Amino acid sequence: MTLVLIHCSAADASVWDSVREHLFGIPVLAPDLPGRRAAQPPADEWLELAPGVDAYAASILRDMDQAGVERATIAGHSLGGAVALWLALHWPERVAGLGLVGAGARLRVKPEIIEGLQDGLREVADLMAAVGFAHSVRDRYRVAMLRMIHSVGASASLADFRACDRFDVMEGLREVRCPTRVLVGTEDLLTPPKYSAFLAERISGARLTEYPGAGHMLPWERPAEVAGELAVLWAATSRS
Ligand code: COA
């Protein structure tokens, strides 16, 4: 059983690097979403397509097909969580288990993020660096966050946040049938704990884990704990 990891908005698959260091012996597929690094199409074309979460999900299915992965345990962070949820709802035969990290069934985005990205990156990057982390670790990760957002660029980031802003599966969650783990930091400002509680209440059998004092960027802030939870999910779904 492969563990597929789907990254958040304004980022690439490298956000999972620290988590992967703790996933000993688990086959991992962590693709870049379209519009960044070598992923196709390039950012401006991707933005032009006005992709919804369904289009991001289709790109993950193509990555799974290319890797010969028919069915996987699928975990996603933020936008990646939306993509993973979409797959569980629309392609249940491809999803053996679901990991939702700093996620939500609806992901409305602050207008200042979307409007700011239309004018460039600078101020939004600062804002994301400020709200992405728990207060106590903000300074430690600020530069890495700024570097990541600048490397992804405004077009791909804008496509990502617009897709999040339109995402809403709040009515459909009871259709999710696979084993599910929901992970959230208690200081998450972008997908507040309320969103994870909502997921865990409505997805049958879902287990919620809260990380006291952690913010939205759980894969950076708590890589060992996130890996531990995903490894348990992977082991449970590998047996089924
Ligand atoms: N799960 C559970 N409840 C949710 C939810 C979710 N995924 N998404 C929204 N809600 C709730 C809100 O808490 C709110 O409840 P309330 O009326 O009891 O306060 C209600 O649904 C409506 O919220 P929302 O749809 O978000 O609209 P809004 O106009 O109140 O707020 C924002 C819009 C953008 C200000 C707000 O969504 C926000 O602050 N978002 C977080 C920051 C952000 O930009 N995150 C990026 C995610 S990628």
Side-chain angles (χ1 to χ4, degrees):
M1 177 73 67
T2 297
L3 175 62
V4 174
L5 300 175
I6 312 174
H7 64 78
C8 58
S9 296
D12 58 43
S14 70
V15 293
W16 292 110
D17 286 354
S18 301
V19 173
R20 293 182 68 170
E21 284 173 19
H22 298 276
L23 290 169
F24 312 108
I26 297 180
V28 170
L29 177 66
D32 283 332
L33 290 169
R36 60 215 86 206
R37 298 201 289 194
Q40 292 299 317
D44 289 343
E45 284 177 36
W46 184 239
L47 177 63
E48 192 77 13
L49 291 170
V53 164
D54 58 331
Y56 286 84
S59 92
I60 293 294
L61 289 177
R62 282 193 295 277
D63 291 319
M64 288 171 65
D65 289 343
Q66 269 173 19
V69 175
E70 183 56 36
R71 194 160 180 265
T73 305
I74 302 187
H77 173 225
S78 199
L79 166 63
V83 176
L85 251 179
W86 185 271
L87 289 168
L89 286 166
H90 294 274
W91 300 89
E93 67 280 13
R94 309 288 305 260
V95 185
L98 183 61
L100 301 172
V101 183
R106 175 161 65 206
L107 293 175
R108 294 282 311 282
V109 177
K110 284 184 190 299
E112 53 263 46
I113 296 179
I114 291 185
E115 286 158 19
L117 279 169
Q118 289 163 17
D119 300 333
L121 256 190
R122 198 189 167 98
E123 282 169 23
V124 172
D126 281 338
L127 174 65
M128 297 304 294
V131 298
F133 302 95
H135 192 262
S136 58
V137 297
R138 202 169 276 173
D139 289 344
R140 192 192 317 161
Y141 291 110
R142 191 171 169 278
V143 172
M145 183 75 154
L146 292 177
R147 201 174 284 146
M148 171 73 80
I149 294 177
H150 280 282
S151 132
V152 170
S155 296
S157 300
L158 187 53
D160 294 350
F161 282 115
R162 282 181 174 161
C164 285
D165 198 45
R166 295 199 302 272
F167 179 69
D168 186 348
V169 296
M170 287 179 85
E171 298 298 322
L173 292 177
R174 294 192 196 281
E175 303 302 316
V176 175
R177 300 273 180 240
C178 58
T180 300
R181 290 197 173 228
V182 182
L183 282 56
V184 68
T186 58
E187 288 191 32
D188 188 330
L189 299 175
L190 291 174
T191 53
K194 174 182 180 180
Y195 292 10
S196 285
F198 188 91
L199 291 168
E201 276 161 23
R202 283 165 180 76
I203 298 176
S204 173
R207 181 179 140 168
L208 172 65
T209 305
E210 292 196 334
Y211 296 93
H216 184 62
M217 292 302 290
L218 273 185
W220 281 2
E221 293 180 54
R222 301 292 167 89
E225 289 97 322
V226 169
E229 283 291 326
L230 297 183
V232 170
L233 174 69
W234 174 83
T237 52
S238 294
R239 282 195 300 272
S240 62

